[in-house]
Amino acid sequence: MRTLLQMEWEKSKKTTIWLIILFMTLIPVVYGVVIYTKVMVGEYNSPFENQWLMAWMITSLFYASVFLPMLSAMIASSLCRYEERGNNWLKLFTYPVKHEAHFFSKTLWLFMLLALAQIMALALFILLGSILGIKGAVPWATLFKSSLFGWMGVCGLSVIQFLIAYYLKSYIKSMILNVFLCCIAFLTATSAAGQTFGMFYPWTMPYAGTIENSSGILPSLTQLFFLYTSGFLLVAMTAGQKIFIKRPH
């Protein structure tokens, strides 16, 4: 597995995926923090008891509901896109390792890149918030928990997105489908029902994990979210490796 992960690193290090991760985290963070500091506080003078959490919730509305699922789709599609060129899937399957190992190495690498995105988003949020003058103590524990649960939600989703890209054999088709499904997720996330049942729609899971663990609303859903996303990931990984092996190349 270590060798396969090293192969994924070698394939990725010279691509644009690092810039994509940077911009897909930077854009919503800048937008959310600026909206809070310059509009809600600057123009309407509407400070909240915990300014950091309010700014984080505004940022998460765009980042966790749209940008993070789209980033996950872009990374997953990119991992497949490289292998589709020159029919590299067949070459991979000639290596003296089980085919399942390729599936697990790619999904594990996908999880690691998404963890990097979460770390970058949180770091950029703290940095920009400090620069623009968000007041109060930074609620590190809450923000970390929110980021962690958002990562848990997007990991399960990313397996589905990887299988979509793998099955469709087309980066463009995969991204078009994900854009459509992300639009549904945004509408679901911003609806009243979405606050309670949004976690059950895969493209909304990143947002559900992020918001439920930062807003303090419906804390009883935290345990349900953990159990549901853990089970969802287990089922997706189990079914995914079977689909990965059986797909014709």
Side-chain angles (χ1 to χ4, degrees):
M1 183 62 68
R2 181 178 179 180
T3 301
L4 294 178
L5 287 174
Q6 181 65 31
M7 289 172 56
E8 295 301 328
W9 159 249
E10 293 295 332
K11 294 172 187 177
S12 301
K13 69 180 183 179
K14 295 182 180 179
T15 66
T16 59
I17 195 64
W18 311 104
L19 287 176
I20 291 174
I21 292 174
L22 174 61
F23 283 106
M24 290 294 283
T25 53
L26 180 62
I27 293 173
V29 167
V30 170
Y31 185 82
V33 174
V34 169
I35 286 292
Y36 177 76
T37 56
K38 302 302 181 182
V39 178
M40 297 187 69
V41 176
E43 293 188 13
Y44 296 102
N45 194 26
S46 302
F48 294 85
E49 183 178 350
N50 193 314
Q51 295 192 26
W52 284 103
L53 285 183
M54 180 53 62
W56 179 248
M57 290 179 65
I58 295 172
T59 299
S60 298
L61 177 61
F62 302 100
Y63 172 63
S65 67
V66 178
F67 283 84
L68 183 55
M70 284 303 304
L71 174 60
S72 175
M74 294 171 78
I75 297 174
S77 298
S78 295
L79 294 179
C80 292
R81 188 181 190 183
Y82 182 90
E83 308 302 348
E84 295 293 347
R85 296 173 179 174
N87 205 11
N88 286 329
W89 286 119
L90 288 178
K91 297 177 184 177
L92 275 184
F93 292 152
T94 63
Y95 294 167
V97 296
K98 292 183 178 180
H99 294 176
E100 293 93 330
H102 293 295
F103 172 76
F104 288 118
S105 66
K106 284 193 174 290
T107 50
L108 181 57
W109 181 242
L110 177 56
F111 298 161
M112 292 169 66
L113 292 178
L114 290 170
L116 173 63
Q118 290 293 84
I119 293 171
M120 289 182 62
L122 184 56
L124 289 169
F125 173 76
I126 298 297
L127 176 62
L128 187 60
S130 300
I131 292 173
L132 294 183
I134 296 180
K135 302 183 184 304
V138 178
W140 291 105
T142 302
L143 293 180
F144 177 77
K145 184 180 177 183
S146 175
S147 298
L148 177 62
F149 274 69
W151 177 73
M152 288 179 59
V154 80
C155 280
L157 169 61
S158 69
V159 177
I160 305 300
Q161 292 172 322
F162 175 79
L163 293 173
I164 289 174
Y166 178 69
Y167 186 82
L168 291 180
K169 304 181 182 182
S170 170
Y171 182 88
I172 300 299
K173 291 179 181 179
S174 173
M175 292 310 302
I176 290 175
L177 178 59
N178 273 284
V179 168
F180 173 73
L181 294 173
C182 281
C183 289
I184 296 176
F186 182 76
L187 295 175
T188 302
T190 54
S191 67
Q195 297 297 322
T196 304
F197 303 106
M199 73 174 74
F200 299 107
Y201 176 57
W203 273 257
T204 316
M205 289 195 302
Y207 177 78
T210 301
I211 290 299
E212 285 163 14
N213 292 280
S214 63
S215 64
I217 299 173
L218 301 175
S220 61
L221 289 180
T222 298
Q223 184 177 8
L224 176 60
F225 179 84
F226 177 81
L227 294 174
Y228 176 74
T229 52
S230 299
F232 185 92
L233 180 60
L234 178 61
V235 171
M237 292 293 287
T238 302
Q241 58 93 15
K242 297 182 182 299
I243 295 172
F244 183 81
I245 296 172
K246 292 181 179 180
R247 192 204 80 163
H249 294 85

